[in-house]
Amino acid sequence: MGRVAHAASLAALALVLVGAGAVPPPPSGMPPAPPPPPAAPPPPAVAEPSPPLAERAAAIEAAAEEPDGERVVLGHLSRKLGMSAEALRAQRAQTGLGWGDLLIANRLSLETHAPFDALVAEMRGGRDWESVARAHGADLERLASDVRTSEETVEQHSEDKGPHATTAPGSGKGHGRGGGGRARRGS
């Protein structure tokens, strides 16, 4: 009998341990308790606001002002927009806009099929690029991402440039025919 009693005690203990997490049934005649409220969802991640397009445009313009920067920026914009450098220079001369603003205006014109000049006029009329983009149904997130990528690209190319030479090629020591070699004897 000792063994049977011991097994019964272990079985009872197991039932108590397993059932410890269970909610006891409500007393007879009472409605069941409502389930506990679900855990509150974690607060949404607060994304840092993206700099306005005008700030990104200004950064592209600043990169163009670096030594050799205009060539880098103009080449990038030409490839990105599928426009010749001459056409971009003509737009710049006509509108007085910086390279970053030209990128935004052309990019919006390509996406929305709105005339370039109309978009520039809206911006000059006091609207920021975000407002102009929304008014024409542009994908503002994609536009901002595209301009950010261009900003990073031209800034990276600006950082990659080596120091500029201060002398003309071939004018330093060891170039050309100087009198520093051994003279030939006996001809």
Side-chain angles (χ1 to χ4, degrees), residues 94-97 119-127:
Q94 173 197 358
T95 64
L97 293 177
L119 296 168
V120 171
E122 288 180 45
M123 190 273 296
R124 291 215 184 271
R127 296 174 92 180

Side-chain angles (χ1 to χ4, degrees), residues 53-69:
L53 290 171
E55 282 184 31
R56 295 207 182 274
I60 292 170
E61 185 64 22
E65 292 171 4
E66 294 293 320
D68 203 33

Side-chain angles (χ1 to χ4, degrees), residues 15-175:
L15 285 174
V16 168
L17 291 176
V18 171
V23 177
S28 61
M30 294 199 59
V46 177
E48 224 175 273
S50 178
L53 290 171
E55 282 184 31
R56 295 207 182 274
I60 292 170
E61 185 64 22
E65 292 171 4
E66 294 293 320
D68 203 33
E70 185 168 320
R71 182 191 61 77
V72 169
V73 170
L74 188 55
H76 173 77
L77 296 184
S78 177
R79 286 185 300 277
K80 183 148 195 99
L81 297 168
M83 296 175 66
S84 70
E86 293 76 28
L88 287 164
R89 281 191 181 107
Q91 283 182 338
R92 183 174 164 100
Q94 173 197 358
T95 64
L97 293 177
W99 296 116
D101 288 320
L102 285 175
L103 168 65
I104 295 167
N106 279 297
R107 172 72 177 64
L108 277 173
S109 182
L110 288 170
E111 182 181 341
T112 65
H113 305 289
F116 171 84
D117 293 332
L119 296 168
V120 171
E122 288 180 45
M123 190 273 296
R124 291 215 184 271
R127 296 174 92 180
D128 59 25
W129 283 121
E130 288 82 1
S131 298
V132 173
R134 278 188 215 99
H136 290 275
D139 182 342
L140 189 54
E141 188 174 316
R142 188 170 60 186
L143 174 65
S145 174
D146 198 32
V147 175
R148 181 187 71 242
T149 300
S150 287
E151 175 190 357
E152 291 168 355
T153 299
V154 298
E155 285 176 348
Q156 180 63 42
H157 284 296
S158 295
E159 292 171 5
D160 287 345
K161 288 192 272 300
H164 293 282
T166 55
T167 58
S171 65
K173 282 188 165 185
H175 294 288

